Amino acid sequence: VTVHTWSAGIRGFRGYRDLRLFCGDELVLSASTLWVYVNLRTKSLARVPEELAAQFPVGQAEMFKPDLDRVRHEPPAATAPATEVALRYGDFDGNSHLNNTAYFDALQTALSRQGLPVHPRGIEVQFLKEVVLAVRAIEVALEPRDGEARVAWRNGAELNAQGVVRG
């Protein structure tokens, strides 16, 4: 397995990063990500300092999802079936936030328990609000619709992430 990743640019408080995952010569995953720079003291968005931005040279490859800024997903309906998934200490990163891979693990658990295909062709996720170490379980709601499903990860009434799962 080989992973190629690069900065796709920094604009204001946004940073863009792309990656490709290969198994041998076969491309098995492409992703575009958007990161935001946050002032941890004020919990507000802040412009990326120029000296920090300069440390991330921009790669030359084309972005997988160049319209990433415009992507918006709606969560499933409030009546959509939901699966509660217990969280473990190992699901959290060094910043005490739920690791991205734990979101996908919880999604796969919910897909299985709801009788939906557990190996989707594609997933798009908007991370909205952090899940912190004190959270013991997350709820994954799925609303199947025309060969795909809307998905939401929730902590009680708080919407943490939403997206779409394809096929």
Side-chain angles (χ1 to χ4, degrees):
V1 173
T2 305
V3 176
H4 298 270
T5 185
W6 61 92
S7 172
I10 294 176
R11 293 185 289 284
F13 58 84
R14 292 181 177 96
Y16 302 86
R17 187 156 203 87
D18 257 44
L19 71 91
R20 305 293 181 272
L21 183 117
F22 293 87
C23 185
D25 291 332
E26 180 186 2
L27 175 65
V28 293
L29 176 103
S30 293
S32 290
T33 63
L34 183 152
W35 299 77
V36 294
Y37 193 74
V38 176
N39 179 316
L40 294 177
R41 188 176 39 77
T42 64
K43 297 276 186 179
S44 61
L45 297 176
R47 179 174 288 280
V48 178
E50 286 188 32
E51 62 274 8
L52 180 60
Q55 295 179 36
F56 292 92
V58 176
Q60 299 303 310
E62 187 175 317
M63 285 183 71
F64 172 67
K65 191 118 180 118
D67 62 344
L68 191 57
D69 281 341
R70 292 184 297 279
V71 173
R72 299 291 179 266
H73 294 292
E74 292 186 29
T79 57
T83 301
E84 184 175 274
V85 179
L87 300 176
R88 305 163 300 155
Y89 176 79
D91 292 329
F92 292 84
D93 63 22
N95 293 317
S96 298
H97 300 127
L98 190 62
N99 187 302
N100 292 351
T101 59
Y103 281 89
F104 298 119
D105 189 38
L107 171 62
Q108 196 169 40
T109 297
L111 289 167
S112 172
R113 290 186 184 161
Q114 292 188 30
L116 299 169
V118 295
H119 299 290
R121 283 185 303 101
I123 302 169
E124 290 186 16
V125 179
Q126 287 176 285
F127 295 98
L128 304 168
K129 182 140 177 66
E130 64 189 356
V131 176
V132 295
L133 187 58
V135 175
R136 300 289 178 232
I138 195 160
E139 192 176 83
V140 181
L142 289 159
E143 180 185 5
R145 187 186 284 186
D146 300 324
E148 57 185 39
R150 289 184 184 180
V151 60
W153 291 262
R154 295 186 182 113
N155 168 23
E158 187 172 76
L159 180 61
N160 301 99
Q162 60 192 16
V164 64
V165 179
R166 293 193 175 87

